[in-house]
Amino acid sequence: MHEPAVPAPRPPHRTVLVVVEETVIRELLAVHFRFAGFFPMLAASSVEARRLAGEVRPDVVLVDPDTPATADTGFAAEAVPPLPLVLVSAQSSTGCGAALQLYKPFAPRELVGEVVRLLRRDPQRLRAGPIVIDAERHLITVNRQGRATPVELAPVELKLLQCLMARPDHAIERRHILSTVWGKGSEVDVRTVDQNIKRLRRCLEDAGAGDVIRTVRGVGYRFSSVP
């Protein structure tokens, strides 16, 4: 009897940077990503990952931050533009700017599937709770009680809203908001974040959605997708 043929991996069309200290797990994820059509770049530390991300910009970064060698995920947010970050951890991580967080233990095939779905999202169209952002056309709409109300926002206010909506129901630290909206190394004070959040809330209040941005005391702000 002949052995069943092993399906060939799909031709790579996306690049993923896998940052995992444990060699066996890192290689296992690489195998699954290859068969899903990714070209995996492998790093055993955050230092190595920062170097690779600078040399070949990946489409997405996957990090296990649970070991000291891989705990620094800042290189993803510091890239221009920031790199989509996926965290695989045994505990919740807030304020890290991750586009997706998965928890251990995990099935490699399901993990790869979540990354694929993440990359399929339209980066120009963002939806969370009652708000839809069409960044390409600069249209912001609040949908409540069967009514769609357009909202006009200044560019900074739009960036603030996008930053919060990118991770709905997660607390986002003020300093992360500052670096995302105004850029890393900006001389803008963190109090500027609070002032612009107030203006953003006022704009959303007029459309009946002033309650979607919640203050997280001692941390920053959270976009609430549930009324």
Side-chain angles (χ1 to χ4, degrees):
M1 295 180 62
H2 295 288
E3 292 285 340
V6 177
R10 300 175 188 173
H13 64 282
R14 296 274 197 177
T15 301
V16 57
L17 175 55
V18 179
V19 189
V20 178
E21 184 176 21
E22 190 174 346
T23 303
V24 173
I25 301 300
R26 192 169 63 244
E27 294 294 343
L28 177 63
L29 289 173
V31 169
H32 282 268
F33 273 114
R34 286 191 190 99
F35 275 87
F38 285 83
F39 175 77
M41 300 190 300
L42 308 181
S45 70
S46 298
V47 172
E48 187 179 3
R50 184 182 295 273
R51 178 182 61 79
L52 288 173
E55 293 175 356
V56 181
R57 180 181 173 86
D59 294 291
V60 62
V61 178
L62 183 142
V63 181
D64 174 357
D66 292 347
T67 63
T70 57
D72 180 10
T73 63
F75 64 91
E78 293 165 11
V80 182
L83 296 166
L85 174 64
V86 177
L87 292 183
V88 182
S89 177
Q91 56 191 358
S92 177
S93 301
T94 60
C96 58
L100 177 66
Q101 177 157 3
L102 303 172
Y103 295 94
K104 299 174 181 176
F106 61 88
R109 183 177 297 180
E110 294 176 5
L111 182 150
V112 172
E114 290 291 340
V115 172
V116 170
R117 282 186 283 275
L118 171 67
L119 293 176
R120 283 177 179 167
R121 296 176 191 171
D122 184 354
Q124 295 297 321
R125 191 173 180 85
L126 192 60
R127 180 190 299 269
I131 299 179
V132 177
I133 296 177
D134 186 335
E136 186 175 5
R137 296 190 294 168
H138 200 95
L139 293 177
I140 303 93
T141 308
V142 173
N143 299 284
R144 276 197 167 161
Q145 299 178 343
R147 296 180 55 189
T149 306
V151 178
E152 291 190 10
L153 298 178
V156 169
E157 294 162 359
L158 175 57
K159 287 183 178 180
L160 270 174
L161 186 58
Q162 288 173 312
C163 177
L164 296 174
M165 286 178 61
R167 298 195 69 219
D169 304 311
H170 285 74
I172 310 298
E173 293 179 352
R174 283 179 174 84
R175 291 197 177 279
H176 173 73
I177 296 172
L178 190 65
S179 64
T180 300
V181 176
W182 283 272
K184 184 175 175 59
S186 172
E187 297 181 359
V188 174
D189 190 271
V190 290
R191 288 174 294 182
T192 302
V193 174
D194 300 329
Q195 295 166 0
N196 281 273
I197 286 287
K198 287 181 181 178
R199 285 197 285 269
L200 175 58
R201 277 176 170 156
R202 283 197 295 267
C203 293
L204 296 177
E205 280 172 1
D206 294 339
D211 59 340
V212 297
I213 298 178
R214 310 286 177 86
T215 300
V216 182
R217 188 176 299 275
V219 179
Y221 297 94
R222 180 182 69 246
F223 183 94
S224 178
S225 63
V226 180

